Amino acid sequence: MEIVVSGTRPTGILHLGNYYGAVRNYVRLGEDKNVKGYFFIADYHSLTTHNNPAELKVLVKQTIATYLACGLDPEKVVIYVQSDLPQIPELYLLMNMLAYKGELEKVATFKDKIKIHKENINAGLLTYPVLMAADIIIHRAHKVPVGKDQEQHLEMTRNFAKRFNSRYEVDFFPEPIAYNFGDELVKVPGLDGSTKMSKTGGETNAIFLNEEPESIRKKIMRAKSDGGPTTMNQEKPQEIINLFELMKIVSTPDTLAFFDNAYNNCVIRYGDMKKQLAEDMVNYLTPIRTRINELINNEAYLQRVVSRGAEEARESAAKTISEVRKIMGISYF
Ligand code: TRP
């Protein structure tokens, strides 16, 4: 059985890029009978930069609802909240003894974050990769579906796992690898001409999974385009490539081919293309939006899912911790 673990910081309702780039792949992994999947909300990690209790409550619930609405099935994978597993902070503490200040200070995400949060350079931020390693190795995972931006964290996880194995002369933790679905990983572009849909691009760049049809239509009609092609088979500028990329995701191959031909023959009308894209986008997202709205209002169900998930995840985590304690000599009588 292959163990797969991945976490998401609770950032609330995700956008199309998060769905298509990440959550959809969790769902596919969950369908694989040879995979044991653990998917969790990394609420502790979000505390390294945020400190708003009321907001955290809302964001965690929204993130769970989004996971479920996207099709992650609690019957097939384990869905839980990080802070429901006391074994994670315990392993984090133990792994901190194996993590060097020097290597932590060199991590790119740490260097970026301390530039943005000069007033709050806390130890949690420095040891973020140790906590992430604990998240992963607590289930002795083999694969971690994450984006490229997490590659360095994963390399550190492997280092910590290796260091533990060699220091205690055991072969206990596997060295987990990033699992990014090879060529299938499609980057979802933004609506503002940028190559990546991102939350910080906000109002003009991203389409959120719970976005109302009217708002989707407005955003797409306002998406960046150019003056149109002037010669046959002309290369497309980035903002036009983006519209076609989005169409590839939500429209039929026939629709895509129709507008591609129109572009190549210089008869394309971007207004028509955007209208079509908007309708296809609305149809694509409507089931997810409906489901998110249902789930957000069903707190009892959300709670049931994560408390069951936590129970199962704790079982796996407790096994690991008890072995780790034995290996490290933390068992005296
Ligand atoms: N650091 C990850 C991110 O920012 C979130 C995360 C925390 C994570 N723990 C993890 C991802 C464990 C995979 C596995 O996206």
Side-chain angles (χ1 to χ4, degrees):
M1 197 65 137
E2 196 149 62
I3 315 269
V4 171
V5 173
S6 195
T8 316
R9 275 171 298 142
T11 49
I13 307 286
L14 305 177
H15 56 62
L16 181 72
N18 302 130
Y19 170 65
Y20 209 74
V23 186
R24 197 176 56 111
N25 294 324
Y26 303 167
V27 175
R28 278 202 267 171
L29 276 168
E31 305 291 327
D32 187 337
K33 293 221 168 20
N34 299 315
V35 165
K36 178 84 190 164
Y38 294 91
F39 298 97
F40 69 96
I41 313 293
D43 57 340
Y44 281 147
H45 276 106
S46 74
L47 297 180
T48 59
T49 49
H50 297 279
N51 180 23
N52 183 333
E55 193 179 78
L56 184 64
K57 244 185 190 188
V58 176
L59 292 179
V60 166
K61 285 174 191 163
Q62 285 182 338
T63 311
I64 302 165
T66 311
Y67 263 11
L68 297 172
C70 291
L72 208 63
D73 182 350
E75 302 294 326
K76 294 184 179 144
V77 299
V78 187
I79 303 171
Y80 59 98
V81 180
Q82 183 185 34
S83 60
D84 279 338
L85 270 61
Q87 294 86 1
I88 292 175
E90 181 171 351
L91 186 57
Y92 161 71
L93 178 141
L94 298 174
M95 296 310 287
N96 266 326
M97 315 305 170
L98 295 177
Y100 300 117
K101 172 172 165 281
E103 66 185 336
L104 295 172
E105 280 170 344
K106 271 190 256 163
V107 176
T109 50
F110 176 69
K111 290 199 280 190
D112 289 347
K113 281 181 185 162
I114 65 173
K115 260 186 239 153
I116 310 169
H117 301 277
K118 279 203 179 65
E119 72 306 330
N120 184 19
I121 306 177
N122 60 70
L125 207 52
L126 180 68
T127 56
Y128 185 112
V130 187
L131 181 57
M132 178 157 161
D135 290 330
I136 296 167
I137 66 178
I138 195 74
H139 301 301
R140 301 171 72 187
H142 305 104
K143 283 183 177 167
V144 185
V146 281
K148 277 235 171 323
D149 60 322
Q150 298 297 313
E151 190 51 76
Q152 195 183 16
H153 287 154
L154 219 55
E155 193 185 324
M156 302 200 63
T157 303
R158 283 193 291 276
N159 288 339
F160 298 144
K162 250 187 291 192
R163 215 172 281 164
F164 180 94
N165 289 345
S166 87
R167 180 160 311 174
Y168 297 102
E169 296 177 343
V170 287
D171 186 14
F172 185 65
F173 287 123
E175 289 173 36
I177 53 166
Y179 190 51
N180 48 28
F181 299 90
D183 297 337
E184 284 178 56
L185 197 68
V186 191
K187 208 155 68 173
V188 179
L191 294 173
D192 58 358
S194 62
T195 55
K196 192 171 177 223
M197 188 173 278
S198 81
K199 190 171 175 164
T200 38
E203 282 318 293
T204 53
N205 172 300
I207 293 177
F208 292 91
L209 296 178
N210 69 336
E211 200 148 335
E212 292 297 330
E214 254 337 282
S215 170
I216 295 179
R217 291 190 186 104
K218 247 190 227 147
K219 277 189 185 172
I220 291 184
M221 294 315 286
R222 284 190 201 136
K224 193 164 179 211
S225 53
D226 68 347
T230 48
T231 52
M232 306 271 277
N233 300 313
Q234 184 181 322
E235 235 177 78
K236 299 182 181 96
Q238 189 62 50
E239 59 269 26
I240 302 304
I241 292 177
N242 290 357
L243 293 180
F244 277 95
E245 287 292 317
L246 290 168
M247 200 166 230
K248 209 186 272 172
I249 295 171
V250 301
S251 305
T252 65
D254 285 354
T255 305
L256 185 70
F258 173 84
F259 287 102
D260 202 39
N261 273 329
Y263 183 89
N264 288 331
N265 293 310
C266 301
V267 294
I268 192 161
R269 299 210 315 222
Y270 289 140
D272 292 348
M273 180 182 182
K274 286 177 175 178
K275 249 186 225 151
Q276 180 72 46
L277 176 61
E279 285 326 298
D280 292 344
M281 184 70 73
V282 167
N283 286 332
Y284 185 83
L285 291 181
T286 290
I288 299 181
R289 179 184 69 253
T290 313
R291 192 85 184 108
I292 290 178
N293 292 338
E294 279 167 12
L295 286 163
I296 289 278
N297 291 314
N298 194 345
E299 294 224 353
Y301 177 70
L302 295 182
Q303 199 205 348
R304 215 158 46 236
V305 167
V306 292
S307 71
R308 238 187 58 192
E311 222 170 279
E312 192 176 344
R314 276 194 296 262
E315 222 171 274
S316 146
K319 251 188 234 156
T320 304
I321 277 294
S322 119
E323 293 286 325
V324 166
R325 282 174 154 250
K326 256 187 251 156
I327 291 168
M328 295 181 75
I330 312 174
S331 56
Y332 308 113
F333 301 102

